[in-house]
Amino acid sequence: MLLKRVTKEVKNLFQSTRLNTSVQRQEEILHLKRRLEEFDIQFSNLAYRPSGVETQTLLEISKTVGQNNNLLNQLSLERELADQQLLANRVGISLKILEEHHKFIVTMAHIFGGPYPCLRE
């Protein structure tokens, strides 16, 4: 009897945690959506998925921007990536690729550098 009660309480605890995570994820998505609207980026603009190699490179660029307060602040203030040529050289890609995937990079930089722990997962 005690085992059943403890099992039920643990199950309820896990369901509550899962529900809280789901609610937090929804709130993060709404917050990110509003943030991206300032950059004229809609989630529908992000449907294109780059190739596997490009994705890794673009994620590296996004992390670089998101984890660098100066770059992220400049992105927020000027609504564009700071010194794109320097950034492209830093990670070894062409400026053209950087420009083509600007919206993806901006979005991921905000996820990596912003208050979005659920989305970062």
Side-chain angles (χ1 to χ4, degrees), residues 96-117:
K96 182 180 177 184
I97 290 175
L98 189 67
E99 291 170 351
E100 287 175 355
H101 300 288
H102 175 80
K103 291 178 181 182
F104 178 86
I105 294 168
V106 169
T107 301
M108 293 307 297
H110 277 91
I111 290 172
F112 286 127
Y116 309 110

Side-chain angles (χ1 to χ4, degrees), residues 2-19:
L2 178 63
L3 181 60
K4 272 187 169 179
R5 195 174 91 223
V6 170
T7 303
K8 184 177 180 180
E9 288 176 11
V10 169
K11 184 178 177 181
N12 288 340
L13 178 65
F14 281 122
Q15 287 176 342
S16 174
T17 302
R18 202 175 308 136
L19 180 62

Side-chain angles (χ1 to χ4, degrees), residues 42-57:
Q42 308 298 320
F43 284 140
S44 60
N45 299 130
L46 302 171
Y48 167 75
R49 182 174 171 91
S51 69
V53 175
E54 271 186 357
T55 300
Q56 291 306 313
T57 303

Side-chain angles (χ1 to χ4, degrees), residues 8-32:
K8 184 177 180 180
E9 288 176 11
V10 169
K11 184 178 177 181
N12 288 340
L13 178 65
F14 281 122
Q15 287 176 342
S16 174
T17 302
R18 202 175 308 136
L19 180 62
N20 288 340
T21 302
S22 177
V23 169
Q24 182 179 354
R25 187 175 299 115
Q26 288 174 352
E27 289 173 356
E28 287 180 17
I29 289 169
L30 289 174
H31 185 270
L32 179 63

Side-chain angles (χ1 to χ4, degrees), residues 54-68 71 81 84 87-94 97-99 101-102 104-106 108-109 112:
E54 271 186 357
T55 300
Q56 291 306 313
T57 303
L58 295 173
L59 287 174
E60 184 180 330
I61 294 168
S62 301
K63 281 182 185 179
T64 299
V65 174
Q67 294 172 349
N68 183 312
L71 292 175
L81 292 170
Q84 292 185 9
L87 197 55
N89 291 342
R90 186 174 182 176
V91 293
I93 65 165
S94 72
I97 290 175
L98 189 67
E99 291 170 351
H101 300 288
H102 175 80
F104 178 86
I105 294 168
V106 169
M108 293 307 297
F112 286 127

